[in-house]
Amino acid sequence: MKATVKKGGDLVIKIENVSKQYDSIQALETIQLTISEGSCFGIVGPNGAGKSTLMKILSGVLQSFDGDIIVKGQSVKKSKLDVKRLIGYIPQDICLEETLTAKDNLFYFGSLYGLKGKELHDRSEKVLKQIGLDERGKDKVVTFSGGMKRRLNIGCALLHEPSIVIMDEPTVGIDPQSRNSIFSIIHELKEKGSTIIYSSHYMEEVEQLCDSIALIDKGALIESGTMDELLDKYNKPSLFISGEGINEMSLNPFGETEVKGNGYLLQSEDPLTTLEKLIVEFRIQNVLPRKLELYQPKLEDIFFDLTGTQLRDS
Ligand code: ADP
Ligand code: MG
């Protein structure tokens, strides 16, 4: 199990009873959350859950909502400008001018944050390296792959060296190489002590990257905490078994059994003893399992336990 990494640990963002209604759609319903400085905080939920709405509110892009967001002690409602300078927001939809070069896009976004002259030039060069596009700075964005555009989109939000980086589903629809490159950018930001808020409907990514998470579904917060806290809280000791000749009926005498992927999950208060008994039984029956292992719960399982739905199918 992953260790919880907390660099500063001080509260950096407090989300206070945030609700958002779009006409008849209640996109968010009284969300309350706190985010620690230096953490990588995952906002997880199926499509339509309200992730992007929350990210837009956090970044100050969406200003009409109920409740408040306190960033480093300041309300985003009362002091919008100061708070915005602390934040780099990478929207879910790529926002670039394709007829311009990568560098010109960076210059444009940098100037929006008040950078100019040598500082803007130096920061752009640094960011191009950071996103692995230093050799493509003079090329027009229209010639870039989807993954390269995503990386440039990230770069545009990093020019003013924000201490809080908000990334809305940055890995959707990109090639594995760009995905790894984005993970490296995130690891670098984490090393520097930045606070990262990362939304995704890919559970494995969030498990890999984030130390704390919030699960949201249909606009409501359904669970939050550090990854370890949640995995411990919902841990049901169990075994995973698969292979030819193994079925639910043969496993039922050993505990409650359910189908899981191409095998079965067998719940057991004492999984090691059950494992021993199963090995004896399989020897008698002359059955060789393909897999027979202690099962570690995943975020996907927690989400399913709480909502009764699979995240991917929603
Ligand atoms: P997610 O990012 O988790 O997919 P969103 O925050 O984009 O979710 O959307 C939450 C809900 O709000 C969805 O039902 C979506 O259709 C609705 N929604 C989002 N943006 C708007 C908008 N500008 N106008 C009306 N409804 C919207
Ligand atoms: Mg979204």
Side-chain angles (χ1 to χ4, degrees), residues 299-311:
L299 264 187
E300 194 97 38
D301 302 316
I302 297 176
F303 189 84
F304 185 76
D305 275 1
L306 289 167
T307 65
T309 53
Q310 299 281 0
L311 196 75

Side-chain angles (χ1 to χ4, degrees), residues 87-106:
I87 292 176
Y89 167 61
I90 298 123
Q92 181 169 352
D93 298 318
I94 290 175
C95 175
L96 296 167
E97 177 48 63
E98 299 223 346
T99 59
L100 296 180
T101 65
K103 232 180 219 176
D104 284 339
N105 271 279
L106 290 173

Side-chain angles (χ1 to χ4, degrees), residues 114-217:
L115 298 174
K116 50 183 185 262
K118 187 171 176 336
E119 192 187 15
L120 176 57
H121 181 268
D122 291 351
R123 284 295 309 147
S124 301
E125 290 292 331
K126 206 169 156 191
V127 161
L128 275 174
K129 281 206 182 75
Q130 199 177 356
I131 58 176
L133 292 177
D134 39 333
E135 286 176 7
R136 301 294 304 266
K138 291 185 179 147
D139 294 338
K140 285 187 178 164
V141 174
V142 73
T143 65
F144 286 8
S145 70
M148 289 161 75
K149 287 178 194 169
R150 271 262 168 236
R151 282 187 271 156
L152 183 58
N153 211 38
I154 294 174
C156 290
L158 301 180
L159 286 159
H160 61 300
E161 301 193 295
S163 59
I164 302 166
V165 180
I166 298 179
M167 296 187 174
D168 194 356
E169 304 229 29
T171 57
V172 170
I174 60 169
D175 57 284
Q177 196 192 343
S178 287
R179 187 170 171 266
N180 288 338
S181 162
I182 290 174
F183 283 9
S184 305
I185 298 169
I186 294 172
H187 283 302
E188 245 178 66
L189 289 168
K190 273 166 75 165
E191 300 256 294
K192 272 185 16 189
S194 310
T195 305
I196 297 158
I197 304 172
Y198 183 95
S199 83
S200 184
H201 65 279
Y202 298 132
M203 290 277 183
E204 321 82 63
E205 271 188 9
V206 175
E207 273 190 48
Q208 209 178 319
L209 290 171
C210 300
D211 35 66
S212 295
I213 56 153
L215 290 175
I216 61 171
D217 188 32

